[in-house]
Amino acid sequence: MNVDKQPLRIGLIGFGCVGQGFYDIVGRQPGLGLAVTRIAVKSPAKPRTLPAERFCFHADDLLADPDLDLLVEVIDDPAEAFRLVSTALRHGRRVVTANKAMLAHHLPELVALQRASGGALLYEAAVCGSIPIIRTLDSYFSHEPLQSVSGIFNGSSNYVLTRMSQQGSEYGPALAEAQAQGFAETDPSLDMGAFDPRSKAVILAAHAYGVFLHPEEVLNLGIESISAVDIARAAAQGRKVKVVAGLYRLPNGSVAALVTPQFVGPESPLYAVEQEFNGVVIAAEFAGSQFLHGRGAGGHPTGSAVLADVLALQHGFRYAYAKQSEAPETQLTEGLEVEVYLRHADAAILREALTWLQLPAGALLIDADGPQATGTVSIQVLWTWRQELRAAGVFVARLGEVRPTVAAGITPARAAELV
Ligand SMILES: NC(=O)c1ccc[n+]([C@@H]2O[C@H](COP(=O)([O-])OP(=O)(O)OC[C@H]3O[C@@H](n4cnc5c(N)ncnc54)[C@H](OP(=O)(O)O)[C@@H]3O)[C@@H](O)[C@H]2O)c1
């Protein structure tokens, strides 16, 4: 409560889904002592839910306003968001953002800017909406080694997978339904191609392991080529297809990262994460396994995470990035392998994919539901052929966890000792 003091004056940049959600939450809780005193948007002609005089159209005016105590940046343009956030930090300001694509591409610069200028940046809303995963990793687990951080970080693709699983429908109708319900964008490629959860994995790597990855270094495979056949085959094994983003500590201490569809069984808490929800499993060395589940998007859930950041900044909180000084090596492609399931309706295309992935022709199996293949492939090879696989429409899903490559003639136990 902030009853005796002036309210904290907030400049809000962006008044779309998240901006309006945040504004509404602040308005419903006057006791918090917060006031959104200025709002910047882009289009003068757009109809608004507030009087026209509440809006300005130059976000730079808010950056230059000394009467604002804090800025909330929730626009949909990553390049402009980076310009605004980095300018504000350079001037030592306190900023909250939700822009995961911008953060994933610029995190090292933004951390350096904060250290140089005394500014502060929080971004809980950028990963898994309402789930407090960043602060949990950054603060609570700041000094605990983590074996893995993995989860469902994209509500849109999870909604599509859930609808396919529940209705036995094909990808196209399930995607159309997700778009009609507001759970998927008109251009679904960032979500369905697993680019969005890749950005989130990159952000979490900085807090979970002190590792700063470039998004393009991380393998991401999506669900654009999934079919009802894949869902049915997973179900026949008692499993579901989920897009799992994962950061994994390898036996040699280095960290691997990737985002792909995966056949997930009921032994994993991710099996029960349905619809537009997100879930994160943290496997900690001493604390054991923890699971967080919640809404990954939407005005109020995301606005709630923005509010939590605003209040944290007010109380002087900053991310510690405590593991940065002892960050492990990363091992993103080389020396790693995983067992995969592959499918394409055309056996000839699948046969060609097997050659790309260095799998034997005998891996191909044709049953009543059409061609499929399974085998162990190197992540390096998957990485090399990822664009061809995407372009050819081959659906790829992990069947197990990523592991160090087992050299021929060496037992898995011996290989683990060697890395
Ligand atoms: N939606 C979610 O559930 C969700 C969840 C987590 C994170 N995020 C992230 O939160 C951010 C905002 O998402 P959103 O869904 O709220 O977007 P949105 O509904 O499309 O709204 C974007 C807002 O930004 C404004 N804007 C765009 N460029 C601007 C500029 N140069 N200066 C000032 N205002 C500008 C737009 O102005 P006009 O109103 O004039 O068009 C609009 O008000 C994105 O980075 C997104 O990735 C969203």
Side-chain angles (χ1 to χ4, degrees):
M1 289 275 194
N2 190 13
V3 280
D4 298 329
K5 294 189 229 154
Q6 288 291 316
L8 188 87
R9 291 156 304 190
I10 299 166
L12 178 59
I13 307 174
F15 199 67
C17 175
V18 180
Q20 292 190 52
F22 169 70
Y23 183 88
D24 187 50
I25 295 171
V26 169
R28 289 198 206 182
Q29 301 184 90
L32 290 175
L34 305 177
V36 176
T37 52
R38 294 191 74 177
I39 307 173
V41 287
K42 191 174 177 185
S43 325
K46 211 180 215 180
R48 305 285 171 190
T49 51
L50 297 175
E53 59 271 21
R54 291 296 325 265
F55 297 96
C56 77
F57 306 97
H58 300 285
D60 288 282
D61 293 352
L62 272 58
L63 265 57
D65 186 342
D67 289 336
L68 292 173
D69 299 307
L70 193 147
L71 296 161
V72 169
E73 178 281 301
V74 279
I75 71 172
D76 55 349
D77 174 344
E80 180 64 358
F82 176 64
R83 192 188 68 78
L84 293 169
V85 169
S86 57
T87 305
L89 289 177
R90 211 166 280 121
H91 291 102
R93 306 207 69 156
R94 294 180 288 176
V95 189
V96 175
T97 182
N99 200 315
K100 54 250 176 170
M102 182 273 286
L103 289 162
H105 281 90
H106 296 287
L107 203 48
E109 293 152 85
L110 294 170
V111 172
L113 266 179
Q114 291 175 72
R115 288 180 179 149
S117 68
L121 177 67
L122 299 184
Y123 40 82
E124 189 65 68
V127 181
C128 297
S130 66
I131 300 178
I133 181 61
I134 299 180
R135 249 197 276 174
T136 300
L137 293 173
D138 190 86
S139 300
Y140 190 85
F141 287 115
S142 64
H143 292 92
E144 173 142 351
L146 302 179
Q147 285 143 357
S148 64
V149 178
S150 60
I152 294 168
F153 297 174
N154 185 268
S156 307
S157 53
N158 201 51
Y159 184 88
V160 168
L161 291 171
T162 303
R163 298 308 284 161
M164 288 180 75
S165 166
Q166 289 172 341
Q167 299 176 330
S169 56
E170 275 299 346
Y171 171 71
L175 174 61
E177 188 195 332
Q179 288 168 322
Q181 297 286 325
F183 293 124
E185 308 277 341
T186 315
D187 173 5
S189 53
L190 288 181
D191 292 327
M192 302 306 146
F195 294 92
D196 171 82
R198 181 178 74 172
S199 290
K200 293 164 179 171
V202 165
I203 296 168
L204 292 192
H207 298 275
Y209 296 102
V211 164
F212 288 79
L213 303 169
H214 195 277
E216 269 87 58
E217 294 176 324
V218 176
L219 175 67
N220 66 303
L221 299 170
I223 59 163
E224 305 100 319
S225 304
I226 196 169
S227 141
V229 169
D230 306 312
I231 304 275
R233 283 183 176 143
Q237 300 171 16
R239 300 202 269 176
K240 291 180 186 167
V241 181
K242 297 288 181 191
V243 177
V244 179
L247 305 164
Y248 307 97
R249 171 81 78 163
L250 299 168
N252 66 358
S254 61
V255 171
L258 79 170
V259 188
T260 75
Q262 183 170 358
F263 283 25
V264 173
E267 70 285 353
S268 164
L270 300 181
Y271 180 85
V273 178
E274 298 282 50
Q275 307 285 2
E276 75 279 19
F277 280 79
N278 285 188
V280 191
V281 181
I282 305 167
E285 190 166 323
F286 305 116
S289 187
Q290 319 252 317
F291 175 54
L292 290 93
H293 178 244
R295 290 187 184 277
H300 277 162
T302 313
S304 159
V306 171
L307 173 63
D309 278 352
V310 165
L311 296 172
L313 279 179
Q314 189 184 20
H315 295 117
F317 176 82
R318 303 162 157 266
Y319 295 136
Y321 302 97
K323 293 175 178 168
Q324 191 182 2
S325 57
E326 59 197 45
E329 297 290 314
T330 55
Q331 190 176 345
L332 298 173
T333 53
E334 281 175 35
L336 297 173
E337 65 182 22
V338 70
E339 196 188 352
V340 292
Y341 159 86
L342 307 159
R343 186 204 48 80
H344 196 286
D346 184 336
I349 293 176
L350 197 52
R351 250 183 227 109
E352 190 177 5
L354 293 181
T355 64
W356 297 339
L357 300 183
Q358 300 171 10
L359 286 170
L364 184 75
L365 175 76
I366 302 179
D367 62 16
D369 290 323
Q372 62 172 309
T374 54
T376 298
V377 297
S378 122
I379 300 287
Q380 176 74 52
V381 169
L382 260 183
W383 166 264
T384 303
W385 291 97
R386 67 196 186 286
Q387 273 147 5
E388 286 79 0
L389 289 163
R390 212 172 270 144
V394 177
F395 178 67
V396 184
R398 269 186 277 166
L399 293 176
E401 296 305 336
V402 174
R403 57 182 188 234
T405 303
V406 180
I410 300 180
T411 63
R414 178 67 186 127
E417 283 166 28
L418 291 173
V419 287

